[in-house]
Amino acid sequence: LVNLLVFNVESNAGVDKLRSLQILELLKAKVEYNKYISQIKKGIFTTQYQRLQLLLLEISHGGMLNVDSLIKQAHTSKFGNIYFGNDSSFLFNNTFQNSVLAYKILRQAGGNDLYLKSIRNYLLEMRRTGSWRNTYESSTILETILPDVIAGEEINNATLMINEDKNELFPVKKT
């Protein structure tokens, strides 16, 4: 599989090359990522999603991030949170997927806690109907932000209060 993917990276162009390199990264294959990333950067990417994917791959392999240039691409929600991309019904290249990629990029680069919090708040803000648009978006968002949400909050034991009777051990049986 690794040999086939390396062949794809070397023989294909643009998005196919990018996808193959991303799979190689997931497989932790030992290839010359920086060489392939610089080849991919010469290609033309039509969507912000593709450009963010490439930027994440580049940051993962030692590339430098110009945070200001990334933040200039952000939009502001009604509640003052930041997000990336334009709303669309596409599975990829929408505000959710672009914001998740930007979140991963900023987290990988480090030292961007205020921006990360703002993106997290936007993603939670867009869950206003009790869910996100589909299962894929829900799993992608949760996979991305949940570790930071859990790490940033104090976890308390569950407590059930019934008529001044405090219950902390479950299950509880009362009459």
Side-chain angles (χ1 to χ4, degrees), residues 17-130:
K17 186 178 280 234
L18 176 61
R19 285 187 187 132
S20 296
L21 196 57
Q22 288 172 315
I23 296 169
L24 284 166
E25 183 182 45
L26 288 172
L27 294 172
K28 297 178 180 14
K30 302 221 184 301
V31 297
E32 297 177 47
Y33 290 98
N34 292 325
K35 170 186 151 189
Y36 294 130
I37 289 169
S38 41
Q39 290 174 3
I40 293 170
K41 284 174 74 171
K42 295 175 185 171
I44 298 172
F45 293 98
T46 56
T47 67
Q48 183 180 28
Y49 182 75
Q50 293 166 346
R51 290 187 296 274
L52 289 171
Q53 284 181 310
L54 179 58
L55 184 56
L56 178 60
L57 194 60
E58 187 176 9
I59 296 296
S60 298
H61 293 280
M64 298 301 294
L65 173 65
N66 183 345
V67 175
D68 293 335
S69 66
L70 180 62
I71 296 302
K72 283 180 185 175
Q73 300 174 35
H75 304 284
T76 305
S77 72
K78 294 174 188 172
F79 294 107
N81 299 309
I82 61 171
Y83 66 96
F84 293 80
N86 298 314
D87 197 23
S88 72
S89 59
F90 293 116
L91 183 59
F92 300 107
N93 197 33
N94 59 48
T95 58
F96 292 106
Q97 297 301 324
N98 288 343
S99 297
V100 164
L101 278 173
Y103 188 92
K104 289 177 179 179
I105 290 165
L106 290 167
R107 182 175 53 201
Q108 182 87 22
N112 299 295
D113 294 336
L114 290 175
Y115 294 130
L116 293 174
K117 183 177 181 182
S118 185
I119 296 171
R120 263 194 321 268
N121 288 340
Y122 169 76
L123 293 169
L124 295 171
E125 171 188 334
M126 296 313 294
R127 197 175 181 270
R128 61 181 156 247
T129 60

Side-chain angles (χ1 to χ4, degrees), residues 121-153:
N121 288 340
Y122 169 76
L123 293 169
L124 295 171
E125 171 188 334
M126 296 313 294
R127 197 175 181 270
R128 61 181 156 247
T129 60
S131 63
W132 287 288
R133 295 188 303 187
N134 57 55
T135 305
Y136 179 73
E137 282 182 359
S138 299
S139 65
T140 303
I141 292 167
L142 289 174
E143 174 189 41
T144 303
I145 70 170
L146 194 58
D148 294 338
V149 170
I150 290 172
E153 293 188 16

